[in-house]
Amino acid sequence: MFTAIMSRALWLALLLLAAPALAEEVPATGSDFGGAGLIEMRNARFREDGTLEAGAALRHQRRFYFLNFQALPWLEATFRLTERLDATAGQGTTTDRSFDVKLRLLEEGPWNPALAVGLQDLIGTGIYGGEYIVASRRWHGVDVSLGLGFGRLGTRGDLTNPLVNLAEGFATRPREVGRGGTLRLDFFRGREVSLFGGVELDLPALPTPWGEVDGFRAKFEFSGDALRDERGGYPVRRGPLRGEARSPFNLGLQWQGEHVDAGLHFVHGTDLLFRLSFRMDPARPPTAPPIRPIPVLPARRDVPLDAGERAAAVFAALETAGFRPLAYAEEGVEARIAVAEGRFRTAPQVASRVLRATNALLPAAAEMLRVSWWQAGAETAELLVPRGMLEGAARGAVSPEEVWGATTLLPADGESWAGEITAPSPRVDWILEPRLNLQLGDPTRTIRYQGAAAAGVRVDFGAGFSAAGAIQQAVFGNLDNSPRSDSQLPHVRSDFGLYARDGKTSIPALYAERVWNLAPDLFARTTAGLLEPMFGGVSAEVLWRPQDSPFAVGLDLNLVQQRATDGLFGFRDYGVVTGHLSLYADLPVWNLYGIVRAGRYLAGDWGATVEIGRRFDSGIEVGGFATLTNVPFSRFGEGSFDKGIYVRIPLDLFGAESRGSGTAVIRPVQRDGGQRLAVDNPLWEVTRAGRADAVRRGIGGYLR
């Protein structure tokens, strides 16, 4: 009976997939494993390009936490942490890390379904490892999908793998569960495979006392996952442990709003599962209104001041606007102003705020504004902008594109101007801030963390010379309870638990530094002291960063000694010479960028790091990195090689006037191979905002 029903359902699905479409858009919704899909199985749908989504799916036996990124129009990437019973020990929980990708093979057309192929648990322990090929078709609010699952997604075993007819090697699939982190190569193998499929149905709007609520969808799914490779429950309860699925049918109700996806599903014939996720378009993220109102642009006035008096008034106005004034000069029709730091992350906004602060003080006849922007001691950008265009933008009469078309971006050379008047130095800046250190994906604990309060000071002496330091007090967290490292390499990073335990009150950094311009668009840095929480010594770096080029090249060399775990002035008996040659490049499509570093790492290993990221005009960045060195996977330990993903979100999206970004780095496990020194002012981060590409992306700042 069951076989007959499934046979009829299969033929119906095939007929629907082959029929011409009467398509009405059914937006993609999220699956329980994180990516776009049905319930547990994926379909051939994708989110809008660039969509970033984070959420969780909770059930009796497992908890899934996921981050999903529509990295390219045809590529979906998902990172997932899973809490489940430790089946090896038979008690307690363990954390499993997975990375999935799905690729579009074919877009839906009038006579063909959408087609996609996916790899699940591509880099992980393999317990969730599986592959699939799936087709999807829409008709007036109904979305039908049919696919073929391999590995974990084919454990129901309805069919024989058709690839076995091509090569007998496809019949064998290892079932060993590894320690995680190794790239699997057993794709589409295994003698047994399973059909899967389902329907997603658009439901009518639901009337409520507050109006109609739209976005409800019913989901029905026939799963290929029999849960063969899992047992146990979370949390541990009395009674028999749950093993294989009782039913292949899953069903549920899901609601999708503008930024929220919520669902309640009944899965495997045993459990209710609740799913909740939040998503956004990084190109157009929701933003908070400015905490401080945008200053009104004052009108030009002829103020009878001599050069010294005018410079003093300009410096005072810039201080009030949040800048550190450096120099003022006048030459012909140009007014020249040099400022450092500030609370704004783009050069166009710096130019706009400089004019708003000083327009009433500058000579009325000055028609050009030259703004020199310095960071950490070096000039990083110099803009020459018609003053009238900036005034028009401030009043809404000129578009940012028109101002950008009239802007000249000059090479950053750090040279002084003839007749300039400089602001007094040294300058002392105090910092008081909260800090949060996260470790995600430890097999014994999903999240380890430490919250701290830090107070710091930075003294700028001029000519690029400075001194900086901070003291930090741990306030809360469980990072100090991390298990001791079992690394076979020098413990350059894996002793983070000891540093958290012994260094409750610590000095994370204390150093002297010089950052300066060696030549136009050529930058240098030397730093000596306690460079970061785990290492001290001497660090030197040079960077060639042409402002109008998509490429930059850097070299850093470091002689460092490992610091004592109390985070004060002592040192351990491990020292190393480390350094890298780095290439930075803007890629020609989808606003991608790439970074390749090659050299020697802190543990003495030699290798290279590849980083690929996508930068949106909002300032949000999403990317990933991987490092391979001459350390064998077996000696590296769990994770096999260093890798991770990151998300950077500018703080000004939350309404703050800030150059900073909130950065979340998800490194599945912290080991010692492939680790680099982390200084406060790496030249690429210091200077990248002065590149033509970055200035162009920030032209909306001319209005603010």
Side-chain angles (χ1 to χ4, degrees):
M1 180 66 177
F2 176 76
T3 303
I5 293 174
M6 286 306 302
S7 177
R8 293 190 183 98
L10 174 60
W11 279 109
L12 178 60
L14 290 173
L15 288 172
L16 288 173
L17 290 174
L22 300 172
E24 180 178 302
E25 188 69 13
V26 179
T29 57
S31 72
D32 295 342
F33 275 16
L38 292 163
I39 296 178
E40 289 198 337
M41 313 304 287
R42 307 293 177 88
N43 56 21
R45 301 306 178 198
F46 292 80
R47 296 287 197 186
E48 292 293 322
D49 182 32
T51 298
L52 190 63
E53 182 177 21
L58 310 176
R59 61 177 289 189
H60 168 62
Q61 292 188 323
R62 300 154 198 90
R63 297 183 179 185
F64 305 107
Y65 305 95
F66 52 81
L67 177 67
N68 194 70
F69 179 44
Q70 190 63 47
L72 299 171
W74 46 268
L75 174 63
E76 175 191 271
T78 304
F79 174 76
R80 182 173 53 258
L81 287 173
T82 303
E83 289 181 346
R84 58 181 177 82
L85 184 83
D86 187 342
T88 302
Q91 60 183 350
T93 60
T94 186
T95 299
D96 190 88
R97 289 89 64 199
S98 304
F99 181 71
D100 309 341
V101 295
K102 182 170 71 173
L103 297 92
R104 176 186 286 127
L105 300 180
L106 192 65
E107 290 194 55
E108 185 172 0
W111 294 96
N112 64 274
L115 190 64
V117 63
L119 306 176
Q120 183 169 289
D121 204 0
L122 174 66
I123 300 176
T125 62
I127 196 169
Y128 290 99
E131 304 80 50
Y132 57 90
I133 184 166
V134 61
S136 297
R137 195 75 157 148
R138 292 187 176 111
W139 290 269
H140 290 307
V142 179
D143 201 30
V144 179
S145 296
L146 181 66
L148 188 64
F150 300 74
R152 173 65 182 264
L153 305 179
T155 49
R156 206 181 60 248
D158 301 320
L159 303 171
T160 299
N161 187 348
L163 298 177
V164 173
N165 297 323
L166 300 178
E168 186 60 29
F170 282 106
T172 305
R173 185 184 185 100
R175 287 188 63 185
E176 294 85 358
V177 176
R179 298 183 66 189
T182 305
L183 178 66
R184 294 193 304 104
L185 299 175
D186 56 356
F187 305 133
F188 301 101
R189 292 172 61 183
R191 185 170 295 277
E192 294 181 341
V193 297
S194 296
L195 286 171
F196 67 85
V199 176
E200 186 171 351
L201 177 64
D202 194 9
L203 299 179
L206 178 68
T208 72
W210 305 276
E212 289 190 339
V213 178
D214 199 3
F216 285 99
R217 290 176 178 84
K219 292 187 174 185
F220 305 91
E221 174 184 85
F222 183 74
S223 173
D225 183 3
L227 302 186
R228 184 190 66 190
D229 297 327
E230 283 190 84
R231 296 187 64 80
Y234 179 88
V236 177
R237 296 180 179 177
R238 297 178 182 175
L241 301 180
R242 296 183 184 174
E244 294 190 3
R246 293 181 184 174
S247 169
F249 294 104
N250 302 324
L251 66 151
L253 180 66
Q254 201 148 322
W255 174 77
Q256 181 164 271
E258 184 178 2
H259 300 292
V260 180
D261 214 338
L264 185 64
H265 304 147
F266 184 67
V267 296
H268 300 297
T270 55
D271 294 325
L272 279 175
L273 180 146
F274 175 67
R275 181 197 190 280
L276 179 66
S277 65
F278 300 90
R279 68 187 186 281
M280 70 174 180
D281 178 358
R284 292 171 291 275
T287 58
I291 296 174
R292 300 180 181 181
I294 298 175
V296 176
L297 177 73
R300 299 191 196 191
R301 292 191 295 126
D302 264 323
V303 182
L305 298 172
D306 61 33
E309 292 172 331
R310 192 185 305 277
V314 166
F315 293 160
L318 292 171
E319 288 266 9
T320 302
F323 294 103
R324 181 162 64 88
L326 298 179
Y328 175 79
E330 299 172 9
E331 182 170 323
V333 296
E334 279 188 21
R336 300 178 172 181
I337 299 174
V339 295
E341 315 304 342
R343 300 189 294 258
F344 315 103
R345 64 179 174 85
T346 67
Q349 191 171 12
V350 169
S352 173
R353 289 304 179 97
V354 164
L355 184 67
R356 289 171 189 266
T358 63
N359 200 44
L361 301 171
L362 303 179
E367 292 297 336
M368 299 296 292
L369 180 67
R370 185 184 294 253
V371 177
S372 174
W373 189 24
W374 295 60
Q375 297 187 61
E379 182 185 46
T380 59
E382 189 170 6
L383 277 69
L384 185 61
V385 191
R387 185 179 177 185
M389 297 291 282
L390 270 180
E391 291 172 318
R395 298 186 178 107
V398 177
S399 71
E401 291 76 15
E402 290 175 304
V403 185
W404 172 240
T407 298
T408 302
L409 182 62
L410 303 169
D413 56 18
E415 296 292 332
S416 58
W417 298 315
E420 72 175 18
I421 299 172
T422 59
S425 59
R427 166 68 178 258
V428 179
D429 292 311
W430 296 91
I431 301 171
L432 182 63
E433 62 183 11
R435 294 182 178 178
L436 182 64
N437 185 2
L438 289 175
Q439 296 288 339
L440 299 175
D442 186 301
T444 61
R445 183 68 67 93
T446 301
I447 300 178
R448 293 190 183 275
Y449 57 94
Q450 184 182 73
V457 62
R458 182 178 180 89
V459 182
D460 287 307
F461 300 102
F465 290 98
S466 64
I471 187 167
Q472 178 174 294
Q473 177 62 51
V475 179
F476 62 88
N478 60 7
L479 197 63
D480 53 342
N481 293 324
S482 301
R484 284 186 174 271
S485 170
D486 61 355
S487 176
Q488 300 179 42
L489 299 174
H491 293 190
V492 296
R493 292 296 186 219
S494 61
D495 278 344
F496 59 85
L498 295 180
Y499 282 87
R501 184 195 68 189
D502 299 342
K504 300 290 187 183
T505 303
S506 64
I507 301 172
L510 179 64
Y511 55 82
E513 183 172 69
R514 189 188 184 200
V515 179
W516 75 104
N517 302 81
L518 281 173
D521 289 335
L522 183 62
F523 307 88
R525 174 188 59 80
T526 58
T527 312
L530 306 180
L531 304 175
E532 49 136 287
M534 294 186 182
F535 282 90
V538 179
S539 173
E541 183 183 7
V542 293
L543 175 71
W544 179 57
R545 186 230 62 183
Q547 54 87 10
D548 58 351
S549 170
F551 299 99
V553 179
L555 175 67
D556 66 277
L557 295 172
N558 314 280
L559 175 61
V560 294
Q561 192 78 17
Q562 191 169 26
R563 296 179 60 187
T565 58
D566 64 4
L568 298 176
F569 296 102
F571 288 89
R572 304 171 86 172
D573 59 359
Y574 177 77
V576 65
V577 176
T578 176
H580 292 81
L581 179 66
S582 301
L583 173 65
Y584 310 87
D586 290 325
L587 303 182
V589 291
W590 293 302
N591 296 329
L592 295 173
Y593 61 87
I595 303 173
V596 178
R597 309 181 195 273
R600 193 183 194 206
Y601 295 85
L602 285 171
D605 46 335
W606 293 81
T609 300
V610 177
E611 176 183 335
I612 298 291
R614 189 171 181 186
R615 182 187 303 112
F616 297 89
D617 289 350
S618 65
I620 294 176
E621 297 181 33
V622 185
F625 61 89
T627 300
L628 293 175
T629 72
N630 60 347
V631 175
F633 288 177
S634 58
R635 189 171 177 227
F636 181 94
E638 183 167 5
S640 302
F641 62 97
D642 190 49
K643 55 197 169 294
I645 57 178
Y646 60 85
V647 179
R648 296 191 185 109
I649 300 179
L651 297 181
D652 60 7
L653 296 181
F654 300 97
E657 290 184 346
S658 173
R659 291 188 299 120
S661 294
T663 302
V665 179
I666 302 175
R667 180 182 264 113
V669 63
Q670 179 66 71
R671 304 297 287 182
D672 296 308
Q675 301 301 310
R676 297 177 58 243
L677 189 70
V679 296
D680 277 353
N681 292 306
L683 290 178
W684 175 246
E685 297 301 325
V686 168
T687 65
R688 63 190 300 215
R691 300 170 61 246
D693 178 72
V695 177
R696 178 188 60 79
R697 291 177 185 278
I699 61 175
Y702 283 132
L703 305 179
R704 302 191 297 271

